[in-house]
């Protein structure tokens, strides 16, 4: 596979404040790459550098093998972009904004695809942008980013404001684009979302790239939080002896544990011996995930 997007020692300082520093990254054709980090980690700064919306303090960004700083006009024609702080012309309807955007791409060469997206996302194209809800504004932003089937799609917190059903429809659209060869750069602070749709993930914290992992490796490293409510008493040893399980709190009818992916099968087997009233799975917050990677 060819490298579609590459950052070479990409660095941006705002005066004494670090945006990103010495970022090295390669994204291959046809993959969905998750860019994961909390707010303020440097995700948006990185994206703006890749799109030449900001000039780097040092380093270089390459898209389609070309320097963004030198060839950005020609590069941007083949990119779809959704910003995290979407602001469009307030008096224009979705249809007017779509037509306006399409004019930069020589019309709408993929009308059938565009109509499919409008239907799947249930886009409101007749109401002025300023009167739309946050979720409906986000749908218009998504539509404008992908209607022309770009070679590279860059998304910054794209599901913000979307309801669960629309999110799932959006994921299906991304999977379809991936099948057709589109490379997707997916920036998010939502760990379960990134795990659900991405092939690899880059973890950024404090402006520095902590690590790049496949999703399978990320899952293996990360513990799930499990709360179990039993219908009666249980033997604590059945769980403390499982490799990859750490007991956080226990009561006669309640167990709070951290379990790594490798422990799930043994955990389920142990649970099968008891009557369980309820069980909750949760994920540790990103800060804890990053601390684990820093320790590594």
């Amino acid at each position: 596979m060819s490298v579609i997007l590459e950052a070479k020692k990409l660095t941006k300082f705002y005066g004494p404040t670090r945006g990103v520093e010495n970022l090295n990254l390669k994204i291959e054709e046809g993959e969905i790459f998750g860019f994961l980090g909390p707010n303020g980690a440097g995700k948006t700064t990185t994206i703006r550098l890749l799109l030449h919306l900001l000039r780097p303090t040092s380093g270089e960004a390459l898209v389609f093998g070309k320097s963004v700083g030198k060839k950005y006009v020609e590069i941007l024609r083949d990119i779809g972009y959704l910003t995290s702080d979407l602001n469009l012309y307030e008096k224009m309807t979705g249809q007017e904004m779509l037509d306006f955007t399409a004019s930069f791409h020589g019309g709408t060469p993929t009308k059938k695809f565009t109509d499919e997206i409008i239907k799947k996302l249930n886009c409101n194209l007749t109401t002025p942008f300023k009167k739309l809800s946050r979720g409906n504004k986000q749908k218009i932003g998504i539509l404008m980013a992908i209607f022309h089937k770009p070679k590279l799609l860059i998304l910054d917190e794209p599901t913000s404001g979307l309801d669960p059903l629309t999110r799932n429809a959006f994921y299906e659209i991304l999977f379809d684009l991936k099948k057709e060869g589109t490379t997707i750069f997916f920036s998010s602070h939502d760990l379960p979302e990134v795990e659900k749709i991405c092939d690899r993930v880059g973890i950024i914290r404090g402006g520095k790239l902590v690590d790049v992992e496949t999703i399978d490796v990320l899952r293996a490293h990360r513990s799930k939080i499990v709360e179990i409510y039993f219908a009666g008493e249980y033997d604590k040893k059945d769980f403390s002896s499982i490799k990859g399980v750490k007991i956080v709190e226990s009561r006669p009818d309640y167990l709070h544990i951290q379990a790594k992916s490798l422990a799930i099968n043994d955990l389920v087997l142990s649970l099968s011996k008891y009557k369980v009233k309820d069980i909750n799975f949760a994920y540790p917050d990103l800060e804890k995930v990053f601390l684990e990677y820093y320790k590594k």
Side-chain angles (χ1 to χ4, degrees):
M1 288 187 179
S2 59
V3 175
I4 293 295
L5 189 155
E6 183 174 5
K8 293 183 175 181
K9 296 184 178 180
L10 201 58
T11 299
K12 178 64 179 179
F13 276 83
Y14 303 95
T17 304
R18 179 175 62 202
V20 295
E21 185 176 7
N22 200 33
L23 191 146
N24 293 286
L25 191 62
K26 288 184 179 181
I27 299 173
E28 297 179 345
E29 183 178 7
E31 73 171 324
I32 302 180
F33 184 89
F35 200 50
L36 186 65
N39 293 329
K43 302 191 301 295
T44 297
T45 295
T46 300
I47 286 173
R48 289 175 177 171
L49 290 168
L50 296 174
L51 292 168
H52 198 60
L53 299 175
L54 288 175
R55 293 188 179 183
T57 304
S58 61
E60 184 181 23
L62 302 173
V63 178
F64 311 132
K66 303 170 185 175
S67 171
V68 174
K70 297 175 182 177
K71 301 287 186 179
Y72 67 92
V73 174
E74 133 185 16
I75 289 170
L76 291 179
R77 290 194 186 102
D78 293 319
I79 292 179
Y81 171 51
L82 177 62
T83 177
S84 61
D85 51 354
L86 183 64
N87 286 298
L88 299 174
Y89 295 108
E90 291 190 344
K91 294 182 180 180
M92 293 176 68
T93 65
Q95 186 63 58
E96 289 170 337
M97 284 186 286
L98 178 61
D99 293 341
F100 179 63
T101 305
S103 69
F104 294 101
H105 298 274
T108 312
T110 53
K111 188 177 185 307
K112 181 181 177 183
F113 176 71
T114 303
D115 290 342
E116 288 174 358
I117 301 308
I118 293 169
K119 183 177 180 180
K120 287 180 179 179
L121 297 180
N122 192 24
C123 296
N124 183 338
L125 300 182
T126 58
T127 303
F129 188 74
K130 68 178 180 180
K131 293 183 178 180
L132 293 175
S133 66
R134 182 185 179 192
N136 283 319
K137 287 179 179 178
Q138 195 72 0
K139 292 176 187 179
I140 300 299
I142 291 171
L143 175 63
M144 293 173 64
I146 66 178
F147 78 96
H148 56 300
K149 289 190 176 181
K151 292 180 182 176
L152 172 63
L153 181 58
I154 297 179
L155 304 167
D156 194 358
E157 305 286 355
T159 59
S160 176
L162 298 182
D163 62 79
L165 290 177
T166 305
R167 283 191 180 207
N168 288 333
F170 175 55
Y171 298 152
E172 289 177 7
I173 293 167
L174 294 185
F175 292 141
D176 288 341
L177 286 170
K178 177 187 173 181
K179 288 177 184 176
E180 296 188 22
T182 297
T183 304
I184 301 168
F185 185 95
F186 192 100
S187 174
S188 178
H189 66 270
D190 188 331
L191 181 56
E193 177 176 66
V194 168
E195 281 190 313
K196 186 174 183 178
I197 68 168
C198 296
D199 303 300
R200 290 191 301 147
V201 59
I203 298 175
I204 187 169
R205 182 175 188 264
K208 290 190 174 183
L209 192 66
V210 178
D211 213 340
V212 176
E213 299 279 18
T214 65
I215 291 299
D216 287 341
V217 171
L218 182 68
R219 286 195 185 107
H221 278 254
R222 183 176 56 81
S223 297
K224 292 179 178 67
I225 298 168
V226 188
E227 288 185 301
I228 307 160
Y229 297 86
F230 293 89
E233 293 189 0
Y234 63 94
D235 189 345
K236 187 176 174 180
K237 291 180 182 178
D238 286 338
F239 302 95
S240 61
S241 61
I242 299 174
K243 184 179 180 181
V245 166
K246 177 183 177 182
I247 295 179
V248 178
E249 182 185 353
S250 62
R251 298 195 295 267
D253 62 347
Y254 170 79
L255 186 62
H256 177 188
I257 64 174
Q258 290 181 355
K260 292 193 174 182
S261 295
L262 59 87
I264 296 300
N265 281 335
D266 289 337
L267 177 60
V268 171
L269 286 173
S270 293
L271 283 172
S272 67
K273 295 163 57 178
Y274 301 98
K275 188 174 181 180
V276 176
K277 290 194 297 185
D278 197 9
I279 183 168
N280 295 321
F281 283 88
Y283 297 85
D285 59 48
L286 278 179
E287 191 67 20
K288 291 180 181 177
V289 175
F290 294 134
L291 288 174
E292 286 184 14
Y293 273 85
Y294 270 114
K295 289 176 185 176
K296 185 178 69 173

